[in-house]
Amino acid sequence: MPLREPRRVLVTGGAGFIGSNFVHYWCDRYPVDRVVVLDLLSYAGNRRTLEALEGQENFRFVQGDICDRTLVDALLKAENLDTIAHFAAESHVDRSILGPEAFVRTNVLGTSTLLEAFRQRWNKRGCPQSDRFLHISTDEVYGSLGPDDPPFTETTPYSPNSPYAASKAGSDHLVRAYRHTYGLPTLITNCSNNYGPYQFPEKLIPLICINILLGKSLPVYGDGQNVRDWLYVGDHCSALDVVLHKGTPGETYNIGGNTQIKNIDLVYTLCQLMDELAPNLPVHPSRDLITFVKDRPGHDRRYAIDASKIKTQLGWTPQESIQGSLRRTVKWYLTHRDWWEPLLSEEYQAYYRQVYA
Ligand code: NAD
Ligand code: DAU
């Protein structure tokens, strides 16, 4: 374990997919740190994901809203927090198309509430330069690439296309402005598509795995030729660790896996893995379940991240290969039915019908 001063970290959205993976990563790696999770437990938050940590002395879970200024102020003060790792968000593009307002509220207003609370607390603490506000953002703020365009760099102009991407872009701009105006020790990361354990069933990879297990059709939007750049969630966590410890305040770092895959090819690979790993599938071969459906409105064609800045300046590269970690992820969904089955609630079914009807 590295020799360093203990940190007191607020993790917003720590019961969601990436946030919970980050909390497990951080508590394993830095057991002397205090970790306080603030999560509203929206449909995407799941306290069971953190149950192994409940009762541990350095861990605390608080159910609450990042838009609740009184609560955030009280937490920052009572816990004397010096670091915020801000994951909390409405994160699903399809939901943002159905109802953008929640995205503006949580992603823009919520980030603004946290920034303002952090600013006032930071001033009261005497403006320590070692404090950190780490804002976890997305490559979607950069818009969509053509087939031959170079990958997004940190200087690619913002061009968000979905309400989700626009709300994340708004939050990035606020973080940047707080650095510029008030000198807060902020950091921004823009990451590509993550996969791994504890991802909510609405996202492509868990959705395909679960639908194969249930014998349901596998909906592929449009022509299936859209490209995403996939990164294993554990690699995202190690990148955030490096950015928090070695990143220069005020800077933005792109994070990506250098693994561009067309959606249809990813779905074929998942079908192959499922056919190999899952006994007694309702439909075999599972690729017979693939159904091309109406495209997502405004669907971005291609994302790709140029992660050379974090590599050259901070020495981070992803450790996982897509083959190994995709296989592990598929096995995880196979063996954790007790985790995902309760999430297929009536509310989720209603959402599903709305998107895929
Ligand atoms: P997620 O939807 O799985 O989790 C979001 C979490 O935030 C949930 O636990 C939810 O309960 C919580 N939350 C929502 N509104 C809240 C509020 N008002 N107050 C407190 N908590 C609230 O999302 P994720 O996929 O883990 O993404 C986490 C962050 O990473 C997001 O900011 C997202 O934009 C960013 N990101 C995600 C990906 C990806 O591939 N999933 C890639 C790049 C960046
Ligand atoms: O790029 C980072 C972003 O990745 C994050 O900021 C978002 O929070 C995260 O949700 C993810 O966004 P995407 O829209 O790329 O992820 P999703 O899993 O929803 O979809 C991946 C691709 O698969 C996308 O091109 C749409 C397509 N798709 C998705 C679903 C759910 C389908 O073809 N069928 C589906 O049913």
Side-chain angles (χ1 to χ4, degrees):
M1 191 201 318
L3 195 59
R4 62 197 259 292
E5 289 295 311
R7 280 197 170 269
R8 303 182 66 82
V9 188
L10 179 70
V11 182
T12 72
F17 165 47
I18 306 174
S20 64
N21 276 280
F22 178 82
V23 169
H24 284 295
Y25 170 98
W26 202 267
C27 291
D28 271 0
R29 194 166 166 84
Y30 305 108
V32 294
D33 284 8
R34 174 81 169 153
V35 172
V36 179
V37 168
L38 173 61
D39 196 298
L40 184 63
L41 296 181
S42 75
Y43 79 93
N46 190 345
R47 195 162 172 182
R48 281 184 51 226
T49 307
L50 299 170
E51 69 191 357
L53 298 168
E54 300 276 2
Q56 286 191 16
E57 208 180 306
N58 281 353
F59 173 80
R60 178 179 171 199
F61 180 86
V62 177
Q63 182 174 1
D65 192 338
I66 56 166
C67 300
D68 181 345
R69 180 64 195 278
T70 310
L71 172 65
V72 175
D73 279 344
L75 263 185
L76 291 181
K77 186 173 177 199
E79 293 281 354
N80 197 23
L81 298 162
D82 52 45
T83 303
I84 296 184
H86 175 34
F87 296 85
E90 289 292 337
S91 71
H92 191 40
V93 174
D94 292 321
R95 288 193 193 245
S96 83
I97 294 166
L98 294 174
E101 293 90 349
F103 287 71
V104 176
R105 181 184 180 276
T106 296
N107 300 357
V108 182
L109 196 60
T111 302
S112 139
T113 306
L114 284 174
L115 279 166
E116 193 50 23
F118 182 76
R119 177 174 83 87
Q120 295 201 1
R121 187 69 204 144
W122 185 64
N123 284 331
K124 287 209 177 92
R125 282 166 47 77
C127 309
Q129 286 310 308
S130 56
D131 284 8
R132 290 289 179 269
F133 186 105
L134 171 61
H135 178 60
I136 289 89
S137 192
T138 171
D139 59 359
E140 299 202 13
V141 298
Y142 298 123
S144 184
L145 293 168
D148 301 320
D149 289 339
F152 304 126
T153 70
E154 289 79 359
T155 56
T156 300
Y158 274 33
S159 183
N161 287 321
S162 69
Y164 162 69
S167 66
K168 290 297 290 187
S171 65
D172 291 11
H173 289 318
L174 279 170
V175 176
R176 187 186 168 281
Y178 267 68
R179 169 68 185 175
H180 186 79
T181 307
Y182 305 113
L184 288 195
T186 60
L187 295 154
I188 299 175
T189 55
N190 294 92
C191 187
S192 62
N193 286 63
N194 282 217
Y195 64 97
Y198 303 119
Q199 188 166 29
F200 193 79
E202 67 195 352
K203 305 283 166 60
L204 182 67
I205 289 180
L207 185 142
I208 296 296
C209 294
I210 290 169
N211 282 15
I212 292 174
L213 287 169
L214 300 178
K216 288 178 68 176
S217 69
L218 309 179
V220 174
Y221 294 155
D223 61 5
Q225 299 297 306
N226 303 64
V227 173
R228 295 293 182 265
D229 182 351
W230 292 93
L231 178 73
Y232 186 66
V233 65
D235 276 328
H236 190 181
C237 293
S238 71
L240 297 174
D241 181 352
V242 165
V243 169
L244 264 173
H245 284 104
K246 297 207 250 167
T248 305
E251 290 293 315
T252 285
Y253 298 92
N254 278 358
I255 302 171
N258 205 17
T259 307
Q260 294 178 54
I261 309 178
K262 286 181 183 156
N263 289 342
I264 188 63
D265 293 335
L266 178 61
V267 172
Y268 284 144
T269 304
L270 291 168
C271 288
Q272 273 168 8
L273 283 168
M274 274 291 185
D275 289 351
E276 179 196 330
L277 297 169
N280 308 320
L281 285 177
V283 175
H284 195 281
S286 51
R287 65 188 290 164
D288 288 354
L289 291 167
I290 293 174
T291 313
F292 289 91
V293 299
K294 192 164 149 285
D295 208 353
R296 172 186 278 174
H299 195 177
D300 284 338
R301 195 65 173 168
R302 173 176 165 243
Y303 303 142
I305 278 280
D306 178 343
S308 48
K309 178 174 172 182
I310 188 172
K311 181 180 178 186
T312 53
Q313 296 190 7
L314 308 184
W316 175 86
T317 49
Q319 296 303 303
E320 300 280 346
S321 73
I322 182 84
Q323 292 84 358
S325 47
L326 206 53
R327 172 176 282 266
R328 236 180 320 129
T329 300
V330 167
K331 277 189 187 163
W332 191 89
Y333 286 98
L334 266 173
T335 53
H336 288 78
R337 203 172 177 125
D338 61 324
W339 183 84
W340 56 259
E341 209 159 36
L343 304 178
L344 310 181
S345 61
E346 202 28 66
E347 188 276 335
Y348 180 69
Q349 304 300 342
Y351 155 79
Y352 198 93
R353 282 192 296 274
Q354 244 188 312
V355 174
Y356 298 101

